[in-house]
Amino acid sequence: MSDIKTEIISVGTELLLGQIVNTNAAWISQRLADKGLSVYYHTVVGDNEHRLTSVFSEAEKRSDVIFITGGLGPTEDDLTREAFQNISDLPIIYDQATLTKMEQFFAKNNRKMTPNNRRQAHVFEGSTVLKNSVGIAPGIIVENDKKVWVFMPGVPREMKAIMTEEVMPFLSEKFKLDTVIRSRMLRFIGIGESQLEHELKELISNQTNPTIAPLASEGEVALRLTAKAKNTSEAEQLIDTVEHKITKIVGQYLYGYDEVNIEQKVLDLLKQNKLTIASAESLTGGAFASSIVDHQGSSVLFKGAAVVYHPYAKETALEIDSKLLSKHGTVSKECAEAMSSQVKKIYQSDIGISFTGVAGPDKIENQAVGTVYISICDKDNTFYTEKFQFNGDRKAVRNRAVKKAYEMFYYHLKV
């Protein structure tokens, strides 16, 4: 099978406005990858006939198979068919089987079928009409000028049914699909994107199959390994080989795969070690505690949190000596360690963790914005305390502090 270029066009002004998240394109891409088909473009376009026509015209020039979701409904702003007719000159006709199905649906539900509903039975002359087992509007496949156009409703449930039951069998037969695409995400923490790329420079420069794609996110980085092969087993073997080469170089930073995140990984380690924790939070304002309880099973390991933003709160809620705060300040190693020790004692947890610092916009105690102390008081009352200087606004500083705490926990617990 020669390389078939595919693209996905999602139609709907509501997608552009952010009122609806475009999950259709991601789902279709995953299904196509299962059959070894590469997606080259994702496009979102509003309900405007001129712009739709322009997007369709461009897609026709660059892709072999074009998937369109949305714009097949009964209202006047459903213009997908009209836009395609502008570039193909194909007549639009009624599909009698669809029309009959619609009439039966409305009669069964004791509803009057308005004239505009008939629009959903519009198909192109000579097209293949795709059955919709969970809705009314059919899908349509049009083969025109050596290009394949697949039109499906925008409703995810209906699109998925048509794609699974009708489109994939059609594509498998037409293109004799004999390859699969498989991806694996390797997740790293404690190493920056630039350092990771530098360490793996030779592997990345010489990548062929599988490909290696670095992906950065807040406080961590990932590598997506993607292989194309005749079957799943062969693709996985190709990925295994490259992963082994990667882990020989930077394996000490690898913490998980695919959908696993660092928060869940740390919680799993806490459970494995039968450890409980409590948090004392100043600048983070309870963000760490919130991130813990977002995960199922946190109740067995999380004892509680003390949000002690003001010095008075640190003195009263955590019983920290006012003389310590006067001498060292609230943004200090000494304060951070007193907080982690006291919260552990008060909540009777195995481990205490604390956050204190300056989120901004102004300095505190002559400490620069972004200065953060994070302290872990272990079950044997040993302190693991670090000072950081984070960049960004208040929200960014707080988020980075929480992420860094998970990094500290991970490396402390995995030994």
Side-chain angles (χ1 to χ4, degrees):
M1 180 187 71
S2 59
D3 190 33
I4 299 169
K5 295 180 179 179
T6 75
E7 74 173 273
I8 301 166
I9 301 171
S10 305
V11 180
T13 301
E14 67 278 7
L15 297 171
L16 293 174
L17 293 174
Q19 296 170 339
I20 295 177
V21 177
N22 183 19
T23 59
N24 282 349
W27 189 88
I28 293 171
S29 289
Q30 291 166 2
R31 301 292 83 70
L32 296 177
D34 288 341
K35 290 296 184 179
L37 291 171
S38 300
V39 178
Y40 283 71
Y41 305 96
H42 280 191
T43 304
V44 178
V45 59
D47 300 302
N48 177 282
E49 186 173 342
H50 174 72
R51 290 192 287 272
L52 278 165
T53 302
S54 175
V55 169
F56 288 177
S57 179
E58 190 63 31
E60 185 179 41
K61 297 173 187 175
R62 65 192 183 190
S63 299
D64 303 304
V65 184
I66 302 102
F67 299 84
I68 299 100
T69 62
L72 301 176
T75 61
E76 298 212 355
D77 65 350
D78 290 309
L79 300 166
T80 293
R81 299 180 192 84
E82 288 74 7
F84 181 69
Q85 188 179 47
N86 292 340
I87 69 167
S88 68
D89 292 324
L90 291 175
I92 295 176
I93 61 174
Y94 279 110
D95 177 60
Q96 188 56 51
T98 300
L99 196 57
T100 300
K101 178 182 178 181
M102 290 172 57
E103 291 169 344
Q104 292 172 344
F105 171 82
F106 279 94
K108 181 180 178 180
N109 289 276
N110 295 317
R111 292 169 54 192
K112 181 180 179 181
M113 191 175 92
T114 57
N116 61 349
N117 274 292
R118 293 171 60 88
R119 286 169 54 91
Q120 295 182 94
H122 278 164
V123 300
F124 296 102
E125 188 174 82
S127 63
T128 300
V129 180
L130 308 175
K131 294 179 182 178
N132 184 343
S133 62
V134 296
I136 296 176
I140 310 166
I141 291 179
V142 179
E143 298 182 65
N144 187 60
D145 288 339
K146 299 181 180 180
K147 303 298 175 76
V148 177
W149 296 78
V150 180
F151 299 88
M152 294 178 288
V155 179
R157 179 167 171 263
E158 297 184 27
M159 178 278 295
K160 291 177 180 179
I162 293 173
M163 187 78 181
T164 302
E165 298 166 10
E166 301 281 329
V167 177
M168 294 312 299
F170 170 86
L171 295 175
S172 294
E173 176 62 28
K174 179 173 180 62
F175 295 110
K176 309 300 180 186
L177 300 179
D178 58 358
T179 61
V180 299
I181 297 175
R182 283 290 179 270
S183 292
R184 181 183 303 165
M185 198 78 77
L186 310 185
R187 299 194 176 276
F188 301 84
I189 198 161
I191 183 171
E193 182 183 17
S194 58
Q195 184 185 350
L196 185 69
E197 287 194 43
H198 175 73
E199 297 290 343
L200 301 175
K201 182 178 179 181
E202 185 175 346
L203 282 176
I204 294 174
S205 297
N206 296 321
Q207 63 178 307
T208 52
N209 184 28
T211 58
I212 306 170
L215 304 168
S217 60
E218 187 70 67
E220 57 181 284
V221 65
L223 291 176
R224 186 184 64 234
L225 310 183
T226 303
K228 182 179 285 190
K230 290 183 178 180
N231 54 60
T232 299
S233 177
E234 185 178 322
E236 294 290 346
Q237 288 177 6
L238 288 169
I239 292 173
D240 287 343
T241 299
V242 173
E243 181 188 332
H244 179 68
K245 294 177 181 179
I246 290 170
T247 54
K248 283 181 68 176
I249 302 171
V250 290
Q252 67 270 34
Y253 302 106
L254 177 68
Y255 77 80
Y257 298 88
D258 298 324
E259 300 306 315
V260 172
N261 56 48
I262 190 63
E263 292 85 355
Q264 188 60 61
K265 187 70 176 181
V266 167
L267 294 186
D268 290 343
L269 288 171
L270 287 167
K271 290 176 185 176
Q272 290 171 20
N273 290 284
K274 298 180 180 180
L275 297 171
T276 59
I277 62 171
S279 65
E281 305 185 51
S282 185
L283 89 156
T284 47
F288 178 80
S290 178
S291 70
I292 288 280
V293 299
D294 277 344
H295 292 82
Q296 292 183 351
S298 58
S299 59
V300 301
L301 56 91
F302 185 57
K303 287 294 190 73
V307 178
V308 286
Y309 210 67
H310 193 275
Y312 180 74
K314 296 176 176 66
E315 294 175 26
T316 54
L318 292 181
E319 302 174 358
I320 295 176
D321 191 339
S322 61
K323 293 179 181 179
L324 181 148
L325 299 179
S326 297
K327 181 178 180 180
H328 299 286
T330 59
V331 184
S332 65
K333 175 182 178 182
E334 291 78 8
C335 179
E337 292 184 348
M339 289 169 64
S340 62
S341 175
Q342 286 297 102
V343 79
K344 172 191 169 185
K345 175 184 174 183
I346 292 169
Y347 286 95
Q348 298 183 357
S349 60
D350 297 310
I351 300 174
I353 184 168
S354 68
F355 302 79
T356 185
V358 188
D362 302 315
K363 289 183 177 181
I364 295 177
E365 300 171 355
N366 206 34
Q367 296 273 18
V369 173
T371 302
V372 175
Y373 287 89
I374 303 174
S375 176
I376 294 173
C377 182
D378 206 348
K379 60 182 180 179
D380 57 2
N381 292 318
T382 301
F383 291 105
Y384 301 87
T385 308
E386 292 193 46
K387 178 183 179 181
F388 303 97
Q389 190 64 49
F390 297 123
N391 296 319
D393 59 16
R394 285 178 58 83
K395 184 176 181 181
V397 170
R398 295 170 69 237
N399 288 343
R400 288 169 183 169
V402 171
K403 180 71 76 169
K404 184 59 71 171
Y406 280 106
E407 179 185 325
M408 290 173 64
F409 259 133
Y410 173 69
Y411 285 110
H412 176 61
L413 294 170
K414 79 167 190 172
V415 294

